[in-house]
């Protein structure tokens, strides 16, 4: 603009004789082009094209060789399987760098499958209505009901009264509360219930919308510790029960509820305190204390008055659903009940009793719901096309001659990577069979493979689609998916280091067989 003005001024003062009109037009056009190029988000275009290029490169490549396991079984990678790997790379690139809203990337997952004939369109899009996606929906509605009735504020003020004004203790109090709840209820439901409580706490820390280090640490930390806590009991997530059933079929030995907790409790809670230290270093709150917070929380809590009938009704509905979900592991007659159907009964009852209304329904964060639909679709795509099995065999046979310790950690690392992209149950299901085949050749006991896999399957720290708590935390708008990914790298390294210590020293001391007899 400055150049144009100078030129116009120059023309007006008689300098036109020195600079012709044609040259002026050319300079003006160049200036406009320069402004247009300056306004282009080149980074976004780079990653957008990069993701598409990865898909095309894999899709158009010649057939890939079969994967062969140690007993000579061949795993062919079909055209659809190869295309699924290409789509997997495209989706991961777009999700991590958010070149479009993550919900839109999820829609692309279904569209590409249909257009490139990877799976039938009906199958690809039906995954968006999978019961697990509806479980996320129901969990979000529970959080909304807690928020609307004021229960979250009441709980937040009570907790702040207990933990005090130091932000380090607020971190720890929130993390311990989240992990403790996952001992008795699914980590998705915990994240949905705790999320509005954390929002209430955060508003006492910062009135502005601008993200802060404390906000990032609080919400990313909630997602991480929800995963760490969920490995301790069978109630924290479905993956434990499925993996144990799978283990019994293959090895012929049953792992009891208490045996699982015996080995997983020290690991899960050690990880929680490590994560707290991690967030105190990498996401150190801007303020050490919030002066007057305890008194303010007491005053705000007093202002809420006695608990209302609506709050009591909300608690009855939610805890009834949680009780049924928890009792499914102990009462066989309840076991066939679908967990998504149970959680969705709470949604229906909230509207039946006018706890929520149509305006609340219109405020559902569809970006998060679509994100999980896309995650289910790409996960099933890798699974059903055989691509997941092919990847698992290719990875694990590389370690078939490695020391037992390295082999166990290699399996755990594979599950850790896969669980960020596909369902954690599926990540275990594709790696355990191959690992249990290779294990006897190396003298590795199957138990340590099961527990190590379960530990990493519960802690997908890299991608938002890895677990529902990650996606729920993202709703806070305190961090980007890229920031979550970056935070997840050192956290994942911490997890692998701690797991190595347990495999090498602590689990054997506790009596877990690591080497086969």
């Amino acid at each position: 603009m400055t150049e144009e003005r100078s030129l116009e001024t120059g023309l007006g003062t008689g300098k036109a004789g020195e600079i012709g009109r044609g040259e002026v037009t050319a300079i003006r056009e160049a200036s406009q082009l320069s402004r247009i190029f300056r306004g282009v988000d080149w980074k976004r275009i780079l990653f957008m094209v990069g993701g598409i290029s990865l898909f095309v490169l894999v899709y158009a490549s010649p057939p890939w060789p079969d994967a062969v396991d140690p007993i000579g079984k061949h795993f062919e990678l079909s055209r659809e399987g190869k295309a699924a790997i290409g789509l997997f790379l495209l989706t991961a690139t777009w999700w991590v760098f958010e070149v479009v809203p993550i919900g839109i990337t999820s829609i692309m997952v279904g569209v590409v499958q249909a257009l490139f004939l990877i799976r039938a369109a009906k199958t690809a899009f039906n995954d968006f209505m999978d019961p697990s996606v509806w479980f996320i929906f129901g969990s979000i509605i529970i959080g909304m009901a807690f928020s609307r009735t004021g229960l979250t504020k009441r709980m937040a003020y009570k907790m702040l009264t207990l933990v005090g004004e130091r932000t380090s203790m607020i971190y720890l109090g929130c993390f311990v509360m989240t992990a403790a709840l996952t001992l008795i209820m699914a980590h998705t439901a915990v994240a949905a219930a705790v999320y509005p409580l954390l929002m209430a706490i955060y508003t006492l820390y910062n009135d502005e919308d601008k993200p802060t280090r404390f906000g990032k640490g609080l919400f990313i930390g909630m997602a991480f510790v929800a995963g760490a806590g969920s490995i301790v009991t069978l109630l924290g997530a479905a993956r434990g029960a499925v993996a144990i059933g799978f283990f019994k079929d293959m090895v012929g030995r049953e792992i009891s509820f208490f045996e699982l907790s015996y080995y997983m409790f020290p690991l899960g809670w050690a990880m929680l305190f490590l994560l707290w230290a991690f967030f105190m270093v990498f996401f150190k709150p801007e303020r050490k204390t919030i002066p007057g917070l305890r008194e303010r929380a007491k005053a705000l809590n007093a202002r809420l008055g006695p608990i209302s009938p609506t709050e009591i009704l909300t608690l009855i509905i939610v805890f009834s659903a949680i009780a049924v979900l928890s009792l499914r592991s102990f009462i066989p007659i309840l076991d066939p009940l679908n967990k998504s159907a149970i959680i969705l009964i709470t949604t229906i009852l909230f509207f039946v009793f006018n706890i929520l209304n149509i305006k609340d329904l219109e405020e559902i964060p569809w970006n998060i719901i679509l994100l999980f639909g896309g995650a289910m679709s790409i996960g099933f795509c890798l699974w059903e096309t055989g691509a997941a099995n092919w990847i698992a065999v290719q990875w694990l046979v590389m370690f078939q001659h490695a020391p037992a310790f390295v082999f166990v950690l290699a399996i755990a690392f594979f599950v850790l990577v896969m669980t960020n992209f596909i369902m954690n149950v599926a990540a275990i299901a594709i790696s355990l069979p191959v690992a249990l085949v290779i294990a006897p050749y190396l003298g590795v006991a199957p138990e340590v493979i099961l527990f190590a896999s379960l530990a990493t399957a519960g802690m997908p720290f890299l991608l938002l689609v890895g677990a529902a708590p990650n996606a729920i935390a993202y709703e806070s708008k305190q961090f980007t998916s890229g920031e979550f990914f970056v935070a997840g790298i050192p956290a994942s390294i911490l997890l692998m280091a701690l797991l190595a210590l347990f495999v090498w020293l602590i689990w054997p001391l506790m009596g877990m067989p690591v080497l086969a007899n």
Side-chain angles (χ1 to χ4, degrees):
M1 185 62 76
T2 307
E3 289 174 12
E4 287 179 34
R5 279 199 189 124
S6 339
L7 287 167
E8 284 165 6
T9 307
L11 285 169
T13 54
K15 291 182 181 177
E18 298 171 16
I19 305 173
R21 284 195 178 277
E23 289 174 285
V24 171
T25 305
I27 293 171
R28 187 175 291 162
E29 287 173 353
S31 174
Q32 287 172 344
L33 275 174
S34 173
R35 283 206 307 276
I36 290 169
F37 279 109
R38 277 200 300 269
V40 173
D41 186 347
W42 291 108
K43 186 179 171 186
R44 176 172 177 261
I45 292 175
L46 175 68
F47 288 118
M48 193 180 288
V49 173
I52 295 170
S53 301
L54 284 172
F55 173 73
V56 172
L57 195 66
V58 174
Y59 184 79
S61 63
W64 294 4
D66 294 355
V68 185
D69 74 10
I71 58 172
K73 184 178 177 184
H74 283 244
F75 293 81
E76 183 188 356
L77 184 64
S78 62
R79 182 198 68 83
E80 291 81 5
K82 190 155 60 73
I85 293 175
L87 177 58
F88 172 82
L89 296 173
L90 163 61
T91 307
T93 306
W94 281 28
W95 266 335
V96 169
F97 297 102
E98 287 188 87
V99 296
V100 293
I102 51 179
I104 300 303
T105 299
S106 296
I107 294 173
M108 181 198 66
V109 170
V111 170
V112 171
Q113 287 182 66
L115 292 182
F116 287 84
L117 306 179
I118 301 173
R119 288 194 305 162
K122 187 174 181 179
T123 308
F125 287 111
N126 272 352
D127 294 337
F128 284 76
M129 301 300 286
D130 187 88
S132 295
V133 178
W134 283 104
F135 189 90
I136 302 291
F137 180 91
S139 301
I140 288 173
I141 294 287
I142 287 177
M144 192 176 278
F146 268 58
S147 181
R148 292 288 183 275
T149 57
L151 276 168
T152 49
K153 285 183 180 176
R154 193 179 294 279
M155 292 165 64
Y157 299 153
K158 282 283 184 190
M159 198 194 75
L160 290 174
T161 305
L162 288 173
V163 300
E165 299 169 350
R166 291 170 57 193
T167 46
S168 58
M169 288 297 104
I170 295 174
Y171 263 171
L172 185 60
C174 292
F175 293 173
V176 168
M177 175 185 64
T178 303
L181 285 172
T182 60
L183 300 180
I184 56 167
M185 56 193 281
H187 69 326
T188 302
V190 171
V194 167
Y195 169 77
L197 189 151
L198 299 191
M199 287 298 288
I201 291 173
Y202 184 70
T203 55
L204 295 173
Y205 179 82
N206 184 26
D207 294 334
E208 299 175 8
D209 292 337
K210 189 179 175 184
T212 63
R213 278 200 308 275
F214 178 73
K216 294 179 197 297
L218 191 66
F219 288 97
I220 297 176
M222 179 275 286
F224 284 6
V225 298
S230 72
I231 67 170
V232 175
T233 74
L234 286 174
L235 304 178
R239 81 183 85 86
V242 172
I244 285 175
F246 196 62
F247 184 81
K248 185 183 176 185
D249 289 343
M250 293 198 67
V251 180
R253 190 170 96 71
E254 187 154 10
I255 303 290
S256 71
F257 182 96
F258 296 105
E259 186 180 0
L260 177 101
S261 297
Y262 172 69
Y263 290 121
M264 290 305 212
F265 183 88
L267 176 61
W269 282 82
M271 193 64 205
L272 182 148
F273 286 105
L274 267 181
L275 286 171
W276 174 61
F278 167 79
F279 282 103
M280 282 305 299
V281 172
F282 290 94
F283 294 90
K284 190 174 182 179
E286 291 83 351
R287 287 183 275 167
K288 285 187 177 178
T289 61
I290 311 174
L293 180 66
R294 177 173 277 166
E295 294 307 315
R296 194 177 163 195
K298 280 183 183 175
L300 288 169
N301 188 48
R303 197 181 300 170
L304 287 175
I307 190 165
S308 68
T310 306
E311 289 173 273
I312 294 171
L313 181 59
T314 303
L315 285 174
I316 291 172
I317 291 171
V318 172
F319 281 108
S320 299
I322 292 170
V324 175
L325 284 172
S326 304
L327 291 172
R328 285 168 69 230
S329 300
F330 303 101
I331 304 176
I333 197 170
L334 294 177
D335 192 50
L337 298 180
N338 182 271
K339 66 175 182 178
S340 302
I342 296 168
I343 209 83
L344 286 171
I345 289 175
T346 63
T347 300
I348 296 168
L349 292 177
F350 290 148
F351 286 89
V352 166
F353 291 107
N354 290 325
I355 296 170
L356 297 176
N357 57 39
I358 184 68
K359 286 185 180 175
D360 297 308
L361 192 62
E362 289 169 352
E363 291 178 10
I364 298 288
W366 289 107
N367 198 34
I368 303 302
I369 307 293
L370 284 171
L371 168 68
F372 245 76
M376 296 303 295
S377 191
I378 187 66
F380 281 124
C381 181
L382 287 167
W383 172 269
E384 292 175 3
T385 58
N389 267 326
W390 187 88
I391 295 170
V393 175
Q394 289 282 24
W395 171 256
L396 292 179
V397 293
M398 288 195 296
F399 298 92
Q400 59 182 319
H401 302 299
F405 177 74
V406 174
F407 177 65
V408 173
L409 291 184
I411 294 165
F413 180 73
F414 176 79
V415 175
L416 176 67
V417 173
M418 291 302 288
T419 197
N420 277 283
F421 291 94
I422 62 177
M423 290 180 300
N424 42 47
V425 173
I428 287 177
I430 61 173
S431 55
L432 267 186
V434 183
L436 292 174
V437 166
I438 301 174
Y441 294 98
L442 300 175
V444 179
E447 287 83 356
V448 71
I449 291 174
L450 172 71
F451 285 104
S453 301
L454 270 176
T456 50
M459 295 185 243
F461 293 158
L462 297 174
L463 296 182
L464 297 176
V465 297
N470 300 1
I472 292 170
Y474 178 72
E475 183 62 17
S476 68
K477 298 183 175 59
Q478 286 292 316
F479 58 90
T480 65
S481 59
E483 288 173 327
F484 187 88
F485 181 79
V486 171
I489 294 172
S492 298
I493 294 171
L494 269 180
L495 169 61
M496 289 303 298
L498 182 65
L499 183 62
L501 178 66
F502 270 74
V503 170
W504 171 62
L505 182 66
I506 298 177
W507 278 342
L509 286 176
M510 293 174 70
M512 182 191 294
V514 173
L515 297 177
N517 294 323

